[in-house]
Amino acid sequence: MSLKTFQLNLSNLRPWLTLLAITWLLASLGLGWLVNSLLIIIGLLLLAPILIFFGFRFWLQYNLVTDQCPVCRYEFTGLKHSQLQCPNCGEQLMVQQGHFQRLTPEGTIDVTAVEVPSKSLSD
């Protein structure tokens, strides 16, 4: 290993050695609490995005509902306890108890039509 190579390797370490020297100097002066608090702040800045990501994922998993529209049977996703519109038929829906329900004005009677075959009418 030549002297030139050693100097290049040492120049790459210079910022780290300076940081180590400042840390050692602060600790020897009784300011170790300052170094510890800076390390905690840096650690929190690194961990905060990870915690936010997993927290948001947990929230989505708990609050997203995937169901079919009761009118046209189109399957899509909505948030719990919210009002939304079916992207296929445009029906106003409400998410309740993990399922989509039609949002109708008070006093409206919802009727489900049943097809009766003609054969049974003649009997």
Side-chain angles (χ1 to χ4, degrees):
M1 182 176 202
S2 69
L3 184 60
K4 205 175 226 183
T5 308
F6 182 72
Q7 286 175 346
L8 285 175
N9 287 340
L10 192 58
S11 67
N12 290 340
L13 293 176
R14 183 172 289 159
W16 295 107
L17 292 174
T18 305
L19 183 66
L20 183 65
I22 291 172
T23 304
W24 178 78
L25 180 64
L26 287 174
S28 67
L29 292 175
L31 298 176
W33 61 270
L34 182 62
V35 174
N36 289 338
S37 63
L38 288 174
L39 289 176
I40 289 171
I41 289 172
I42 291 171
L44 286 176
L45 287 175
L46 292 175
L47 286 177
I50 296 169
L51 293 175
I52 290 171
F53 172 75
F54 284 112
F56 184 66
R57 242 180 100 174
F58 174 75
W59 181 84
L60 274 179
Q61 199 172 36
Y62 180 73
N63 286 310
L64 280 183
V65 174
T66 301
D67 197 23
Q68 292 181 345
C69 173
V71 176
C72 66
R73 300 293 178 210
Y74 181 74
E75 187 172 326
F76 63 102
T77 303
L79 289 174
K80 281 185 182 177
H81 310 296
S82 65
Q83 294 180 5
L84 53 123
Q85 188 174 12
C86 176
N88 193 33
C89 66
E91 183 71 30
Q92 292 292 328
L93 303 172
M94 178 83 166
V95 182
Q96 291 178 341
Q97 300 172 352
H99 296 288
F100 296 144
Q101 296 177 355
R102 288 183 66 201
L103 187 63
T104 55
E106 199 171 315
T108 303
I109 299 173
D110 195 11
V111 178
T112 304
V114 178
E115 187 176 332
V116 179
S118 62
K119 185 178 183 184
S120 67
L121 286 176
S122 62
D123 291 336

